[in-house]
């Protein structure tokens, strides 16, 4: 879509220049009869120069009117998934997986931060969201294809929760994640990735409610547990629904788990985008100035020759 930010300049210019454009010279005047020999040639040159001058003035007027391109609403159909990353920020995530006491390895929190960042950077068309949890769960970024802000939030992952709230409440994390899917879902392929080392127990009635909601909305739950016991409540929950459980003991296993999840089938979603406006006046002003300069140079040389 094209528009003019200052259309008044175009109207004013047309009013001022139109009389000159309509004026027609019927007679050439010469001071010397010898000049008549090149009259036809000079008449053609004059017409060309006048045309170039008027084109230059027209381009400058359009430039002053400040033409804009943009403000378009574009609808795209993409093959993609809704993937919600739900990350444990409890204090226990500051610990290590396999540490031999010599070289200091990355903490579990650093591992999931780096893995989540790599996952986000590889999924341009998937709608990705982020929820963090400790004693409670908090939405950090909604399901969206805007990866840049999500990356910045992940880079600051260790500062998103104050120490006072860094306990573990896995049930609240799953509940909050399901609520977000209810609010924002678009794709038929919905994936909830829960990364935790929490041993929090989930009451049987709560677990049953979570299973019903996961099945009702066809959400695949993948639990990536940092050295969790097979009898942990969240592991048992993950085995009751579509998805899976991955026992993570090192960075390689975490990367492999993400690759396995990545193989899930995508589905079609519709995304509406509004493009930003862009100034087009340089494309008119610069050629107009060049043409006007050329016309002036040729006229000066012509007069000098005469």
């Amino acid at each position: 879509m094209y528009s003019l930010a200052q259309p008044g300049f175009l109207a004013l210019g047309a009013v001022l220049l139109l009389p000159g454009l309509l004026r027609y010279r019927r007679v050439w005047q010469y001071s010397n009869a010898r000049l008549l020999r090149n009259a036809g040639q000079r008449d053609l040159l004059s017409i060309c120069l006048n045309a170039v001058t008027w084109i230059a003035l027209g381009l400058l007027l359009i430039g002053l009117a400040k033409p804009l391109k943009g403000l378009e609403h574009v609808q795209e159909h993409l093959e993609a998934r809704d993937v919600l990353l739900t990350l444990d920020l409890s204090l226990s995530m500051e610990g290590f997986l396999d540490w031999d006491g010599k070289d200091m390895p990355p903490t579990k929190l650093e591992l999931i931060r780096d893995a989540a960042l790599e996952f986000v950077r590889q999924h341009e068309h998937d709608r990705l969201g982020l929820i963090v949890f400790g004693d409670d769960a908090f939405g950090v970024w909604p399901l969206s294809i805007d990866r840049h802000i999500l990356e910045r939030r992940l880079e600051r992952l260790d500062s998103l929760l104050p120490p006072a709230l860094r306990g573990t409440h896995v049930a609240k994390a799953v509940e909050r994640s399901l609520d977000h899917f209810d609010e924002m879902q678009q794709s038929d392929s919905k994936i909830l990735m829960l990364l935790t080392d929490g041993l929090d127990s989930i009451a049987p009635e709560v677990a049953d409610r979570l299973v019903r909601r996961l099945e009702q909305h066809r959400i695949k739950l993948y639990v990536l547990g940092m050295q969790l016991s097979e009898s942990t409540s969240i592991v048992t929950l993950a085995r009751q629904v579509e998805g899976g459980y991955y026992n993570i003991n090192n960075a390689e296993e975490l990367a492999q788990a993400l690759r396995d999840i990545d193989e899930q089938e995508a589905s079609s979603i519709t995304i509406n985008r509004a493009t930003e406006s862009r100034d087009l006046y340089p494309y008119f002003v610069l050629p107009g100035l060049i043409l006007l300069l050329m016309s002036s140079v040729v006229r000066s040389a012509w007069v000098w020759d005469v």
Side-chain angles (χ1 to χ4, degrees), residues 120-271:
V120 168
R121 289 165 182 161
Q122 293 177 354
H123 295 77
E124 180 179 357
H125 297 305
D126 286 335
R127 292 204 322 157
L128 306 176
L130 175 63
I131 287 178
V132 299
F133 70 96
D135 290 318
D136 204 344
F138 304 91
V140 175
W141 186 247
L143 287 168
S144 169
I145 61 172
D146 188 344
R147 306 188 319 280
H148 302 295
I149 298 179
L150 178 56
E151 289 176 12
R152 290 200 292 269
R153 301 289 170 85
L154 286 170
E155 289 168 354
R156 298 174 49 251
L157 193 60
D158 56 351
S159 63
L160 296 180
L161 275 185
L165 295 178
R166 296 184 66 178
T168 305
H169 203 308
V170 179
K172 285 185 178 179
V174 179
E175 289 270 18
R176 180 68 186 89
S177 302
L178 296 179
D179 291 341
H180 188 66
F181 273 118
D182 289 342
E183 299 166 357
M184 300 289 295
Q185 65 179 337
Q186 281 192 17
S187 174
D188 291 333
S189 180
K190 298 178 284 290
I191 297 174
L192 169 56
M193 294 170 51
L194 179 72
L195 288 85
T196 181
D197 69 344
L199 301 177
D200 182 42
S201 61
I202 303 176
E205 62 275 11
V206 175
D208 291 340
R209 183 175 69 250
L210 295 177
V211 168
R212 287 195 301 271
R213 293 187 65 184
L214 287 164
E215 292 177 344
Q216 177 183 358
H217 297 287
R218 294 181 297 175
I219 299 173
K220 297 176 182 178
L221 171 64
Y222 290 92
V223 175
L224 289 79
M226 305 286 189
Q227 298 176 324
L228 291 183
S229 169
E230 293 289 329
S231 60
T232 304
S233 298
I234 189 60
V235 177
T236 303
L237 176 64
R239 298 194 185 283
Q240 295 177 354
V241 296
E242 189 175 3
Y245 167 67
Y246 293 87
N247 185 31
I248 306 300
N249 295 290
N250 51 57
E252 290 75 18
E253 291 181 355
L254 178 57
Q256 183 59 49
L258 291 175
R259 285 193 293 270
D260 291 344
I261 297 172
D262 197 30
E263 295 176 357
Q264 300 303 310
E265 183 179 357
S267 62
S268 178
I269 63 174
T270 299
I271 297 175

Side-chain angles (χ1 to χ4, degrees), residues 1-7 10 62 65-73 275-281 283-284:
M1 179 183 296
Y2 297 91
S3 61
L4 296 175
Q6 302 290 339
L10 197 60
I62 295 174
K66 198 176 181 181
L68 301 173
K69 178 183 179 181
L71 302 177
E72 296 180 349
H73 294 276
T275 60
E276 296 181 357
S277 60
R278 182 164 59 96
D279 287 328
L280 299 179
Y281 71 88
Y283 298 102
F284 295 92

Side-chain angles (χ1 to χ4, degrees), residues 54-70:
W54 286 112
I55 292 173
L57 292 175
L59 290 173
L60 291 175
L61 278 176
I62 295 174
L64 287 174
K66 198 176 181 181
L68 301 173
K69 178 183 179 181

